[in-house]
Protein backbone atom coordinates (compact mmCIF):
# COMPACT_ATOMS: atom_id res chain seq x y z
CA UNK A 1 0.00 0.00 0.00
CA UNK A 2 1.29 3.43 -0.83
CA UNK A 3 2.07 5.82 2.01
CA UNK A 4 -0.31 8.40 0.57
CA UNK A 5 -3.19 5.91 0.90
CA UNK A 6 -2.39 5.29 4.57
CA UNK A 7 -2.48 9.01 5.20
CA UNK A 8 -5.91 9.11 3.68
CA UNK A 9 -7.07 6.43 6.12
CA UNK A 10 -5.98 8.34 9.21
CA UNK A 11 -7.60 11.52 7.97
CA UNK A 12 -10.98 9.87 8.48
CA UNK A 13 -12.51 10.22 11.95
CA UNK A 14 -10.52 7.82 14.09
CA UNK A 15 -12.55 5.28 16.10
CA UNK A 16 -9.50 3.99 18.05
CA UNK A 17 -9.28 3.21 20.86
CA UNK A 18 -12.57 1.30 20.65
CA UNK A 19 -13.20 0.99 24.36
CA UNK A 20 -14.62 -2.34 25.58
CA UNK A 21 -14.07 -1.78 29.29
CA UNK A 22 -17.27 -0.93 31.15
CA UNK A 23 -17.15 2.40 32.92
CA UNK A 24 -20.76 3.06 33.91
CA UNK A 25 -22.48 0.08 35.55
CA UNK A 26 -25.80 1.95 35.86
CA UNK A 27 -25.88 2.63 32.09
CA UNK A 28 -25.07 -1.03 31.40
CA UNK A 29 -27.97 -2.05 33.65
CA UNK A 30 -30.30 -0.02 31.40
CA UNK A 31 -28.86 -1.81 28.37
CA UNK A 32 -29.62 -5.19 29.94
CA UNK A 33 -33.19 -4.11 30.69
CA UNK A 34 -33.57 -2.88 27.10
CA UNK A 35 -32.58 -6.32 25.82
CA UNK A 36 -34.93 -8.12 28.19
CA UNK A 37 -37.88 -5.80 27.51
CA UNK A 38 -37.68 -5.51 23.72
CA UNK A 39 -41.07 -5.66 21.93
CA UNK A 40 -42.41 -5.70 18.41
CA UNK A 41 -45.05 -3.17 17.23
CA UNK A 42 -45.85 -5.39 14.23
CA UNK A 43 -47.12 -8.07 16.63
CA UNK A 44 -49.65 -5.83 18.37
CA UNK A 45 -53.22 -6.57 17.33
CA UNK A 46 -54.93 -3.41 16.12
CA UNK A 47 -58.10 -5.12 14.91
CA UNK A 48 -60.09 -3.61 17.82
CA UNK A 49 -59.57 -0.21 16.13
CA UNK A 50 -60.55 -1.48 12.70
CA UNK A 51 -63.75 -3.00 14.13
CA UNK A 52 -64.60 -0.06 16.39
CA UNK A 53 -67.82 1.78 15.71
CA UNK A 54 -66.38 5.26 15.28
CA UNK A 55 -67.68 8.18 13.18
CA UNK A 56 -65.53 9.04 10.15
CA UNK A 57 -64.62 12.41 11.64
CA UNK A 58 -63.30 10.74 14.79
CA UNK A 59 -61.28 8.18 12.81
CA UNK A 60 -59.68 11.03 10.86
CA UNK A 61 -58.96 13.01 14.03
CA UNK A 62 -57.40 9.92 15.62
CA UNK A 63 -55.26 9.23 12.54
CA UNK A 64 -54.10 12.85 12.51
CA UNK A 65 -53.24 12.67 16.19
CA UNK A 66 -51.29 9.40 15.84
CA UNK A 67 -49.56 10.68 12.71
CA UNK A 68 -48.35 13.63 14.73
CA UNK A 69 -47.16 11.23 17.43
CA UNK A 70 -45.39 9.21 14.73
CA UNK A 71 -43.58 12.27 13.32
CA UNK A 72 -42.54 13.27 16.77
CA UNK A 73 -41.12 9.86 17.69
CA UNK A 74 -39.33 9.82 14.35
CA UNK A 75 -37.87 13.23 15.17
CA UNK A 76 -35.88 11.64 17.98
CA UNK A 77 -34.01 9.28 15.62
CA UNK A 78 -31.80 11.82 13.78
CA UNK A 79 -30.94 13.30 17.16
CA UNK A 80 -29.90 9.81 18.29
CA UNK A 81 -27.90 9.25 15.10
CA UNK A 82 -25.87 12.42 15.72
CA UNK A 83 -25.20 11.40 19.33
CA UNK A 84 -24.19 7.90 18.20
CA UNK A 85 -21.68 9.36 15.78
CA UNK A 86 -20.29 11.56 18.55
CA UNK A 87 -20.14 8.57 20.95
CA UNK A 88 -18.24 6.47 18.40
CA UNK A 89 -15.67 9.07 17.48
CA UNK A 90 -15.50 10.39 21.04
CA UNK A 91 -14.38 6.89 22.11
CA UNK A 92 -17.18 6.47 24.63
CA UNK A 93 -17.35 3.12 26.44
CA UNK A 94 -19.45 0.33 24.93
CA UNK A 95 -22.45 0.80 27.22
CA UNK A 96 -22.84 4.45 26.19
CA UNK A 97 -22.91 3.51 22.50
CA UNK A 98 -25.24 0.60 23.26
CA UNK A 99 -27.63 2.88 25.11
CA UNK A 100 -27.74 5.34 22.21
CA UNK A 101 -28.31 2.49 19.74
CA UNK A 102 -31.16 1.24 21.96
CA UNK A 103 -32.55 4.76 22.16
CA UNK A 104 -32.66 5.03 18.35
CA UNK A 105 -34.27 1.58 17.96
CA UNK A 106 -36.81 2.33 20.67
CA UNK A 107 -37.82 5.71 19.28
CA UNK A 108 -38.17 4.09 15.87
CA UNK A 109 -40.47 1.41 17.26
CA UNK A 110 -42.55 4.11 18.98
CA UNK A 111 -42.79 5.71 15.55
CA UNK A 112 -43.85 2.38 14.06
CA UNK A 113 -46.47 1.67 16.73
CA UNK A 114 -47.87 5.18 16.16
CA UNK A 115 -48.20 4.92 12.38
CA UNK A 116 -49.75 1.47 12.77
CA UNK A 117 -52.40 2.95 15.07
CA UNK A 118 -53.01 5.80 12.59
CA UNK A 119 -53.42 3.26 9.78
CA UNK A 120 -55.79 1.12 11.82
CA UNK A 121 -57.98 4.17 12.53
CA UNK A 122 -57.95 5.68 9.03
CA UNK A 123 -54.74 6.52 7.21
CA UNK A 124 -51.30 7.54 8.39
CA UNK A 125 -50.31 10.96 7.04
CA UNK A 126 -46.71 10.97 5.83
CA UNK A 127 -46.61 14.78 5.89
CA UNK A 128 -48.65 17.31 7.84
CA UNK A 129 -51.58 18.74 5.94
CA UNK A 130 -51.02 22.31 7.06
CA UNK A 131 -48.11 24.39 5.76
CA UNK A 132 -47.52 25.74 9.19
CA UNK A 133 -47.00 22.30 10.63
CA UNK A 134 -44.64 21.35 7.85
CA UNK A 135 -42.19 23.82 9.36
CA UNK A 136 -42.38 22.63 12.95
CA UNK A 137 -41.18 19.04 12.89
CA UNK A 138 -38.03 19.81 10.81
CA UNK A 139 -36.94 22.05 13.68
CA UNK A 140 -36.33 18.84 15.62
CA UNK A 141 -33.51 18.14 13.23
CA UNK A 142 -31.72 21.41 13.83
CA UNK A 143 -28.51 20.37 15.58
CA UNK A 144 -26.97 23.85 15.80
CA UNK A 145 -27.17 24.17 19.53
CA UNK A 146 -26.37 20.57 20.47
CA UNK A 147 -23.25 20.83 18.31
CA UNK A 148 -22.03 23.77 20.39
CA UNK A 149 -22.17 21.71 23.56
CA UNK A 150 -20.13 18.89 25.00
CA UNK A 151 -21.34 15.32 24.37
CA UNK A 152 -23.05 14.85 27.73
CA UNK A 153 -24.57 18.33 27.72
CA UNK A 154 -26.01 17.55 24.27
CA UNK A 155 -27.47 14.34 25.67
CA UNK A 156 -28.86 16.20 28.65
CA UNK A 157 -31.12 18.44 26.52
CA UNK A 158 -33.00 15.43 25.29
CA UNK A 159 -33.23 13.78 28.69
CA UNK A 160 -35.10 16.81 30.04
CA UNK A 161 -37.63 16.45 27.23
CA UNK A 162 -37.99 12.76 27.94
CA UNK A 163 -39.31 13.71 31.39
CA UNK A 164 -41.82 16.13 29.91
CA UNK A 165 -43.05 13.80 27.22
CA UNK A 166 -43.22 10.96 29.75
CA UNK A 167 -45.74 12.95 31.81
CA UNK A 168 -47.87 13.66 28.72
CA UNK A 169 -47.67 10.06 27.61
CA UNK A 170 -48.87 8.89 31.01
CA UNK A 171 -52.02 11.02 30.56
CA UNK A 172 -52.51 9.63 27.04
CA UNK A 173 -52.14 6.08 28.34
CA UNK A 174 -54.81 6.81 30.92
CA UNK A 175 -57.05 8.23 28.19
CA UNK A 176 -56.78 5.12 25.99
CA UNK A 177 -59.94 3.02 26.02
CA UNK A 178 -58.92 0.61 23.24
CA UNK A 179 -56.79 -2.35 24.25
CA UNK A 180 -54.33 -2.00 21.34
CA UNK A 181 -53.69 1.71 21.98
CA UNK A 182 -53.44 1.08 25.70
CA UNK A 183 -50.90 -1.70 25.19
CA UNK A 184 -48.84 0.39 22.74
CA UNK A 185 -48.83 3.31 25.19
CA UNK A 186 -47.83 0.99 28.05
CA UNK A 187 -44.89 -0.43 26.10
CA UNK A 188 -43.79 3.00 24.89
CA UNK A 189 -43.98 4.31 28.46
CA UNK A 190 -41.83 1.41 29.65
CA UNK A 191 -39.13 2.36 27.13
CA UNK A 192 -39.46 6.04 28.00
CA UNK A 193 -38.97 5.22 31.69
CA UNK A 194 -35.50 3.94 30.74
CA UNK A 195 -34.77 7.10 28.74
CA UNK A 196 -35.77 9.16 31.76
CA UNK A 197 -33.61 6.96 33.97
CA UNK A 198 -30.70 7.56 31.62
CA UNK A 199 -31.32 11.30 32.05
CA UNK A 200 -31.06 10.90 35.81
CA UNK A 201 -27.76 9.06 35.42
CA UNK A 202 -26.45 11.79 33.09
CA UNK A 203 -27.47 14.39 35.66
CA UNK A 204 -25.90 12.57 38.58
CA UNK A 205 -22.69 11.62 36.83
CA UNK A 206 -22.01 14.49 34.46
CA UNK A 207 -23.90 17.66 35.41
CA UNK A 208 -21.28 18.49 38.03
CA UNK A 209 -18.62 18.46 35.30
CA UNK A 210 -20.45 20.73 32.84
CA UNK A 211 -19.00 24.18 32.24
CA UNK A 212 -21.10 27.24 33.05
CA UNK A 213 -21.38 27.83 29.31
CA UNK A 214 -22.79 24.33 28.79
CA UNK A 215 -25.23 24.76 31.66
CA UNK A 216 -26.47 28.06 30.28
CA UNK A 217 -26.77 26.59 26.78
CA UNK A 218 -28.62 23.60 28.16
CA UNK A 219 -31.23 25.77 29.88
CA UNK A 220 -31.59 28.08 26.88
CA UNK A 221 -31.82 25.27 24.38
CA UNK A 222 -34.45 23.50 26.47
CA UNK A 223 -36.59 26.66 26.74
CA UNK A 224 -36.14 27.53 23.07
CA UNK A 225 -37.12 24.09 21.85
CA UNK A 226 -40.09 23.94 24.18
CA UNK A 227 -41.42 27.36 23.18
CA UNK A 228 -40.43 27.31 19.53
CA UNK A 229 -41.59 23.88 18.47
CA UNK A 230 -43.12 21.73 21.18
CA UNK A 231 -45.77 24.21 22.26
CA UNK A 232 -46.55 24.79 18.60
CA UNK A 233 -48.84 21.82 18.30
CA UNK A 234 -46.53 19.00 19.32
CA UNK A 235 -46.79 18.81 23.11
CA UNK A 236 -49.57 21.38 23.22
CA UNK A 237 -51.30 23.80 20.86
CA UNK A 238 -50.78 26.91 22.95
CA UNK A 239 -48.30 28.66 20.61
CA UNK A 240 -50.05 27.85 17.34
CA UNK A 241 -51.56 30.64 15.21
CA UNK A 242 -55.25 31.09 16.11
CA UNK A 243 -56.87 29.29 13.13
CA UNK A 244 -54.46 26.36 13.23
CA UNK A 245 -54.77 26.19 16.99
CA UNK A 246 -58.52 25.85 16.73
CA UNK A 247 -58.36 23.13 14.09
CA UNK A 248 -55.58 21.18 15.78
CA UNK A 249 -57.18 21.48 19.21
CA UNK A 250 -60.46 20.19 17.77
CA UNK A 251 -58.80 17.06 16.35
CA UNK A 252 -57.09 16.34 19.68
CA UNK A 253 -60.25 16.99 21.59
CA UNK A 254 -62.20 14.55 19.42
CA UNK A 255 -59.49 11.90 19.78
CA UNK A 256 -59.39 12.41 23.54
CA UNK A 257 -63.18 12.32 23.92
CA UNK A 258 -63.27 8.93 22.16
CA UNK A 259 -60.46 7.44 24.24
CA UNK A 260 -57.94 7.20 21.41
CA UNK A 261 -54.95 7.87 23.67
CA UNK A 262 -54.87 11.64 23.27
CA UNK A 263 -54.72 14.51 25.69
CA UNK A 264 -57.43 17.14 25.82
CA UNK A 265 -55.91 20.49 24.75
CA UNK A 266 -57.23 22.14 27.90
CA UNK A 267 -55.32 19.71 30.10
CA UNK A 268 -51.97 19.71 28.32
CA UNK A 269 -50.64 23.00 29.65
CA UNK A 270 -51.32 21.98 33.26
CA UNK A 271 -49.46 18.69 32.73
CA UNK A 272 -46.51 20.53 31.15
CA UNK A 273 -46.49 23.12 33.96
CA UNK A 274 -46.34 20.32 36.52
CA UNK A 275 -43.57 18.50 34.67
CA UNK A 276 -41.66 21.76 34.32
CA UNK A 277 -41.79 22.27 38.07
CA UNK A 278 -40.29 18.82 38.60
CA UNK A 279 -37.57 19.45 36.00
CA UNK A 280 -36.66 22.79 37.57
CA UNK A 281 -36.35 21.09 40.95
CA UNK A 282 -34.22 18.28 39.43
CA UNK A 283 -31.71 20.64 37.80
CA UNK A 284 -31.64 23.20 40.65
CA UNK A 285 -28.82 21.46 42.60
CA UNK A 286 -26.64 21.67 39.47
CA UNK A 287 -27.33 25.39 38.82
CA UNK A 288 -28.72 24.85 35.34
CA UNK A 289 -30.67 28.05 34.62
CA UNK A 290 -33.92 27.34 32.75
CA UNK A 291 -35.40 30.60 31.43
CA UNK A 292 -39.09 31.28 32.24
CA UNK A 293 -41.71 29.73 29.94
CA UNK A 294 -44.50 32.34 30.19
CA UNK A 295 -46.99 30.38 28.01
CA UNK A 296 -46.92 27.62 30.58
CA UNK A 297 -45.87 29.24 33.83
CA UNK A 298 -47.53 32.62 33.42
CA UNK A 299 -45.77 35.97 33.05
CA UNK A 300 -42.60 35.80 35.14
CA UNK A 301 -41.99 39.40 36.15
CA UNK A 302 -40.51 38.63 39.53
CA UNK A 303 -40.33 36.04 42.30
CA UNK A 304 -43.89 36.79 43.42
CA UNK A 305 -45.22 36.22 39.89
CA UNK A 306 -43.44 32.88 39.78
CA UNK A 307 -44.92 31.77 43.08
CA UNK A 308 -48.46 32.62 41.95
FE1 LIG B 1 -40.42 7.76 22.22
FE1 LIG C 1 -37.73 8.56 24.48
Amino acid sequence: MEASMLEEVVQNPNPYPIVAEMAYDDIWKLCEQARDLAWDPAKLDFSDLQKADLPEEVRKAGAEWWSLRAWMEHGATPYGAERLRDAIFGHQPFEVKQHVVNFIAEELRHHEASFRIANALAKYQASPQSDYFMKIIPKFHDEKEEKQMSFFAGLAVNTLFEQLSGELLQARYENARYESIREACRLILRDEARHIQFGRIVMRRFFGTLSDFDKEQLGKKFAKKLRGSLLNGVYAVVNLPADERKRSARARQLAAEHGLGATHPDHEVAIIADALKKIRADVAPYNVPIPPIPEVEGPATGPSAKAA
Side-chain angles (χ1 to χ4, degrees):
M1 195 185 284
E2 285 180 24
S4 61
M5 280 182 73
L6 280 173
E7 271 162 34
E8 240 171 70
V9 171
V10 291
Q11 272 168 11
N12 288 331
N14 182 8
Y16 297 114
I18 302 174
V19 184
E21 212 171 301
M22 298 282 177
Y24 309 119
D25 53 345
D26 39 13
I27 298 179
W28 173 239
K29 193 132 202 77
L30 292 181
C31 296
E32 288 182 309
Q33 286 169 359
R35 289 178 184 188
D36 291 342
L37 300 174
W39 54 280
D40 181 353
K43 296 213 169 87
L44 294 178
D45 177 9
F46 296 108
S47 58
D48 58 341
L49 300 179
Q50 283 148 0
K51 283 183 244 160
D53 181 22
L54 288 167
E56 207 42 47
E57 188 193 18
V58 173
R59 286 192 169 273
K60 274 200 181 140
E64 177 176 326
W65 168 248
W66 279 99
S67 297
L68 165 64
R69 293 278 301 112
W71 309 326
M72 196 183 150
E73 299 283 8
H74 186 267
T77 61
Y79 166 89
E82 295 288 342
R83 302 287 86 68
L84 179 59
R85 196 179 188 285
D86 289 349
I88 290 169
F89 296 115
H91 320 287
Q92 292 294 338
F94 171 75
E95 66 276 22
V96 174
K97 287 177 282 191
Q98 180 67 73
H99 172 79
V100 180
V101 167
N102 294 344
F103 169 84
I104 297 169
E106 286 158 14
E107 298 300 356
L108 199 62
R109 78 179 168 224
H110 303 168
H111 165 70
E112 180 187 350
S114 305
F115 73 64
R116 287 183 183 278
I117 293 173
N119 273 335
L121 285 167
K123 194 166 172 17
Y124 166 67
Q125 300 168 11
S127 302
Q129 284 169 353
S130 79
D131 288 349
Y132 184 76
F133 230 93
M134 284 287 279
K135 295 188 192 129
I136 298 296
I137 300 288
K139 286 190 182 176
F140 280 26
H141 299 233
D142 182 357
E143 278 276 322
K144 249 195 325 270
E145 269 132 310
E146 275 95 346
K147 291 276 188 213
Q148 288 168 6
M149 291 188 273
S150 66
F151 176 69
F152 285 105
L155 275 181
V157 175
N158 181 66
T159 61
L160 296 185
F161 283 110
E162 295 280 354
Q163 284 195 50
L164 249 184
S165 56
E167 299 285 342
L168 285 164
L169 198 61
Q170 178 66 35
R172 288 159 189 165
Y173 167 65
E174 285 164 19
N175 172 264
R177 288 205 299 266
Y178 292 87
E179 190 44 42
S180 59
I181 296 183
R182 216 177 152 74
E183 181 64 355
C185 287
R186 186 184 73 80
L187 291 165
I188 293 172
L189 265 174
R190 200 171 68 179
D191 289 344
E192 299 298 2
R194 270 196 314 284
H195 301 175
I196 292 167
Q197 190 54 32
F198 179 72
R200 297 202 176 283
I201 295 171
V202 166
M203 263 190 233
R204 202 172 59 232
R205 283 194 180 266
F206 306 106
F207 268 32
T209 68
L210 296 183
S211 66
D212 288 346
F213 173 80
D214 265 356
K215 286 183 185 178
E216 202 185 308
Q217 283 293 309
L218 172 53
K220 268 196 201 157
K221 168 84 184 162
F222 174 77
K224 191 175 163 193
K225 196 167 165 185
L226 182 59
R227 300 184 68 190
S229 54
L230 300 177
L231 297 178
N232 280 332
V234 179
Y235 280 2
V237 293
V238 54
N239 280 357
L240 280 176
D243 55 335
E244 185 56 31
R245 177 178 177 164
K246 213 171 142 199
R247 199 197 66 79
S248 186
R250 171 84 184 130
R252 267 167 206 240
Q253 189 180 336
L254 264 183
E257 278 168 9
H258 287 80
L260 299 181
T263 26
H264 196 286
D266 295 345
H267 302 156
E268 284 167 341
V269 172
I271 296 170
I272 295 170
D274 248 23
L276 210 46
K277 244 187 236 158
K278 284 187 206 162
I279 291 171
R280 283 190 189 282
D282 282 348
V283 300
Y286 306 101
N287 297 317
V288 174
I290 297 182
I293 317 286
E295 303 88 326
V296 174
E297 298 169 305
T301 49
S304 56
K306 239 182 200 173

